[in-house]
Every structure is written in C-alpha cells, then in structure tokens.
C-alpha cells in the first residue's frame, strides 16, 4: 500500500504483456491520485506515473497499447490509451454511468469492456475513438457464448 494524497492507494488491476513488461494501476478515489506502476524489466524496478483519469479500476496491456479503465470526473465510464507505455495518452469517453473494470480483446477488431453494475460494452476497435461502442443488455445476453462455461459443465 502506498499513500497518495493523504490516503492509502490500493492496487486495482495488473496486466502482463511479456516477461519484461508489467503494468499495475492503483488509486484511492481522490482526484489526481490514481497512478500507473510500470515495469519493463520483469518487476525488478517500477516507474510511477500519474494518470489522466479520475478514478482508475483496471488495466490491460495488449497489442503494443496500454489501456487504463475507470471513470471520468462526471462519473461516466472511460478508457485512456497509450501507445508509448504511458508517455502520452488519449481518452475514449462514453455516455454510460459507472466505471469500467476489465477489457477482453476478441479477435482482431473487437473488444468487450466489463463495468460497474453489470455494464457490458462491445467496441469495434478499428478507429481511434469509441465508435461502434454498444451496450449489451439482458435481452442480448443470450447471444453471448462463454467457453468454457463452468455453469454448464
């Protein structure tokens, strides 16, 4: 636990791209207090980088990009993306209230985001913005196939 802005910060997510590249995110819910811990030497040393996101909840390293998940100051789900391991960022904003906690990349162009209160979003990743983002509600959930499905096996 690390103290940031007077409160202890909690690791909320970790992702491993390779034996050398590891990212973790931590925060405490205070504005400007969320940060990225990044190692490029297998965890022997860590860089601490302040994140341009209000409330961080997850991280994903994939396809030479770093995705940090959370919510913005207005309370809407947000993703920030870096293509240079946290040197620069751009934001992908949504109109969905709550925060995002995880991201799964399926195939070459599709990603799914999981968030607060059962929020499930599908993103067609072929453009820089969150174009093609759609909320999957309960009426569509029967279209999802989960393999392996421990509830059925």
């Amino acid at each position: 636990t690390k103290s940031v802005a007077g409160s202890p910060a909690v690791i909320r997510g970790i992702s491993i791209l390779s034996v050398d590249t590891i990212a973790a995110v931590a925060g405490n819910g205070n504005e400007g207090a969320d940060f990225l811990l990044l190692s490029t030497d297998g965890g022997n040393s860590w860089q601490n980088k302040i994140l341009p996101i209000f409330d961080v909840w997850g991280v994903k390293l994939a396809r030479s990009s770093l995705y940090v998940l959370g919510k913005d100051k207005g309370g809407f789900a947000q993703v920030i993306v870096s293509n240079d391991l946290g040197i620069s960022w751009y934001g992908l904003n949504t109109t969905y209230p709550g925060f995002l906690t995880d991201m799964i990349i399926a195939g070459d162009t599709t990603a799914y985001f999981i968030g607060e209160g059962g929020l499930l979003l599908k993103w067609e990743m072929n453009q820089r913005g969150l174009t093609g983002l759609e909320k999957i509600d309960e009426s569509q959930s029967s279209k999802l196939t989960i393999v392996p499905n421990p509830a059925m096996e």
Side-chain angles (χ1 to χ4, degrees):
T1 304
K2 178 177 178 171
S3 183
V4 179
S7 299
V10 176
I11 299 288
R12 294 183 173 165
I14 189 165
S15 184
I16 300 170
L17 181 64
S18 68
V19 170
D20 292 323
T21 308
I22 307 165
V25 291
N28 61 15
N30 292 326
E31 183 174 351
D34 291 349
F35 58 94
L36 169 73
L37 294 167
L38 182 67
S39 176
T40 56
D41 61 7
N44 291 316
S45 64
W46 295 87
Q47 302 168 42
N48 182 0
K49 300 177 181 226
I50 298 297
L51 291 168
I53 189 170
F54 177 69
D55 196 8
V56 65
W57 283 93
V59 64
K60 179 69 72 176
L61 281 163
R63 299 187 179 161
S64 70
S65 293
L66 176 60
Y67 302 86
V68 174
L69 316 169
K71 68 179 176 181
D72 64 17
K73 288 182 187 181
F76 294 98
Q78 183 181 35
V79 181
I80 57 172
V81 182
S82 175
N83 295 318
D84 53 17
L85 292 178
I87 295 169
S88 62
W89 297 91
Y90 65 91
L92 304 174
N93 300 312
T94 77
T95 57
Y96 301 106
F99 53 84
L100 299 172
T101 59
D102 201 3
M103 174 185 183
I104 299 164
I105 298 176
D108 292 333
T109 61
T110 304
Y112 293 92
F113 297 105
I114 301 161
E116 178 182 27
L119 180 63
L120 178 59
L121 303 175
K122 178 182 176 184
W123 175 35
E124 296 302 331
M125 301 171 61
N126 52 1
Q127 295 186 17
R128 185 174 173 121
L130 280 177
T131 59
L133 186 70
E134 66 177 276
K135 182 176 180 180
I136 299 174
D137 60 29
E138 290 180 24
S139 66
Q140 295 173 302
S141 64
S142 64
K143 297 177 188 175
L144 295 177
T145 303
I146 300 170
V147 178
N149 186 342
M152 303 300 283
E153 297 174 10

